[in-house]
């Protein structure tokens, strides 16, 4: 059974990838971005649909109709786009479309291509915590095992 995408976002939730552009290279890049986004969440991509003209109303696009058919028959639970501009002209329209899809039991997500945010020194702090938990010290490469009963070790 598919996992609820809002309950942590990880799980085997079949999704569709959608893009719309008159440029084949843009469609390929958008599909690759959306697939990476889905892969990172363990969402299998059931298919990729596209349309060559983003100026055509969404309801009249052949690729979009394929997506809604897949959503309606349970083949997919979600739709991933690389940019909201593939399905909406502005944020308000994108939110309305997302609400409509949620009402039908699915979800709409924008694949974010940005790298995860890191705070300064975050990697070094994580390494120190992991080393401390394992008992290893980076300074001398030796393992420091201390008896649990030694009060000086606490």
């Amino acid at each position: 059974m598919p996992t609820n995408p809002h309950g942590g976002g990880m799980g085997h939730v079949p999704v569709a990838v959608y893009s719309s552009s008159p440029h084949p290279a843009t469609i390929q890049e958008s599909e690759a971005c959306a697939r990476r986004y889905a892969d990172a969440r363990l969402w299998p991509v059931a298919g990729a649909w596209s349309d060559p003209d983003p100026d055509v109303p969404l309801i009249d696009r052949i690729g979009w109709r394929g997506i809604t058919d897949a959503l309606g028959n349970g083949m997919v639970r979600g739709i991933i786009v690389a940019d909201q501009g593939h399905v909406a002209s502005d944020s308000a329209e994108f939110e309305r479309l997302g609400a409509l899809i949620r009402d039908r039991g699915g979800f709409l997500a924008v694949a974010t291509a940005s790298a995860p945010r890191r705070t300064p020194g975050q990697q070094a702090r994580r390494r120190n915590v992991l080393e401390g938990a394992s008992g290893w010290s980076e300074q001398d490469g030796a393992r420091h095992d201390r008896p649990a009963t030694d009060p000086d070790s606490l």
Side-chain angles (χ1 to χ4, degrees):
M1 173 172 252
T3 303
N4 182 349
H6 303 293
M10 302 296 276
H12 299 284
V13 179
V15 296
V17 169
Y18 179 77
S19 55
S20 181
S21 174
H23 309 290
T26 302
I27 287 182
Q28 287 177 340
E29 290 168 15
S30 297
E31 181 181 332
C33 176
R35 283 181 180 276
R36 283 190 304 272
Y37 184 84
D39 288 346
R41 286 152 185 79
L42 304 176
W43 295 341
V45 176
W49 287 262
S50 64
D51 287 301
D53 190 355
D55 294 328
V56 171
L58 195 59
I59 192 107
D60 295 330
R61 298 181 197 172
I62 294 170
W64 184 255
R65 277 190 255 146
I67 292 263
T68 57
D69 288 347
L71 187 62
N73 69 23
M75 183 177 155
V76 300
R77 291 277 312 274
I79 302 166
I80 312 294
V81 295
D83 183 272
Q84 72 180 17
H86 290 282
V87 293
S89 59
D90 60 31
S91 294
E93 185 179 351
F94 185 81
E95 290 300 319
R96 285 192 298 273
L97 180 60
L100 178 64
I101 292 168
R102 277 190 306 279
D103 288 346
R104 294 185 178 166
F107 66 94
L108 176 63
V110 175
T112 53
S114 62
R117 292 186 205 167
R118 302 270 192 247
T119 59
Q122 182 177 8
Q123 185 175 4
R125 283 192 301 278
R126 284 183 177 177
R127 185 177 53 246
N128 290 340
V129 167
L130 290 172
E131 287 172 356
S134 69
W136 287 92
S137 169
E138 186 179 288
Q139 292 174 352
D140 61 10
R143 183 171 174 92
H144 298 283
D145 291 319
R146 294 182 212 153
T149 57
D150 181 5
D152 294 330
S153 67
L154 301 175

